[in-house]
C-alpha cells in the first residue's frame, strides 16, 4: 500500500502537474530482477521527485490523476499559497567597490 503525501516545498511541482494537459501520479518501484513482487518506494505527484529515481535501479510508472486528487491538491495549494521561487538576499555591501 502507498500513501500520497503533499509537501509545502513541492507546491511549484504540483502546480506544474495540475496545469498540464493530463495530470499524473508517479509510482516508484524498486526494480529488482527477482521474481518477488516489486517493492513500492514512493508515490508522488511531483514529476521532478519521480525523475530523481529514473537514473537508478528503479521503475517509475505514471497514471492519470483522478479528479478527486486534483481537487485535493488544488485545495492544498489554495490553503498554503503558491510557492514562488525566492532569491536569497545578498549580504550588505556585496558586489560594491570598497572605494579605498
Amino acid at each position: 500500500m502507498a500513501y500520497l503525501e503533499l509537501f509545502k516545498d513541492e507546491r511549484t511541482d504540483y502546480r506544474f502537474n495540475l496545469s498540464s494537459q493530463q495530470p499524473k501520479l508517479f509510482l516508484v518501484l524498486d526494480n529488482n530482477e527477482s521474481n518477488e513482487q516489486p517493492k513500492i518506494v514512493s508515490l508522488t505527484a511531483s514529476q521532478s521527485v519521480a525523475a530523481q529515481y529514473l537514473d537508478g535501479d528503479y521503475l517509475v510508472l505514471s497514471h492519470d490523476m483522478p479528479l478527486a486528487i486534483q481537487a485535493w491538491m488544488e485545495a492544498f495549494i489554495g490553503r498554503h499559497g503558491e510557492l514562488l521561487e525566492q532569491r536569497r538576499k545578498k549580504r550588505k555591501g556585496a558586489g560594491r567597490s570598497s572605494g579605498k
Side-chain angles (χ1 to χ4, degrees):
M1 180 178 282
Y3 295 95
L4 178 62
E5 186 175 358
L6 301 180
F7 299 95
K8 289 181 184 179
D9 63 340
E10 294 176 0
R11 286 174 286 171
T12 301
D13 294 339
Y14 303 151
R15 174 57 60 211
F16 178 76
N17 192 354
L18 289 170
S19 63
S20 69
Q21 188 104 23
Q22 181 58 56
K24 302 282 185 188
L25 289 175
F26 304 96
L27 184 65
V28 181
L29 301 170
D30 192 0
N31 192 18
N32 57 6
E33 298 294 327
S34 67
N35 292 334
E36 296 177 24
Q37 184 173 354
K39 179 184 172 195
I40 297 172
V41 175
S42 178
L43 175 63
T44 183
S46 169
Q47 186 174 0
S48 61
V49 170
Q52 293 174 0
Y53 289 95
L54 289 175
D55 293 337
D57 291 331
Y58 298 96
L59 177 63
V60 179
L61 304 175
S62 65
H63 193 274
D64 293 346
M65 186 184 298
L67 289 175
I69 294 178
Q70 291 179 42
W72 176 55
M73 288 176 57
E74 287 286 356
F76 178 83
I77 293 170
R79 187 170 45 256
H80 297 290
E82 298 283 340
L83 178 64
L84 303 174
E85 298 298 326
Q86 298 177 10
R87 292 186 180 183
R88 295 188 327 178
K89 289 185 177 181
K90 292 183 179 181
R91 9 175 257 284
K92 187 174 180 178
R96 297 186 185 148
S97 173
S98 64
K100 291 183 179 181

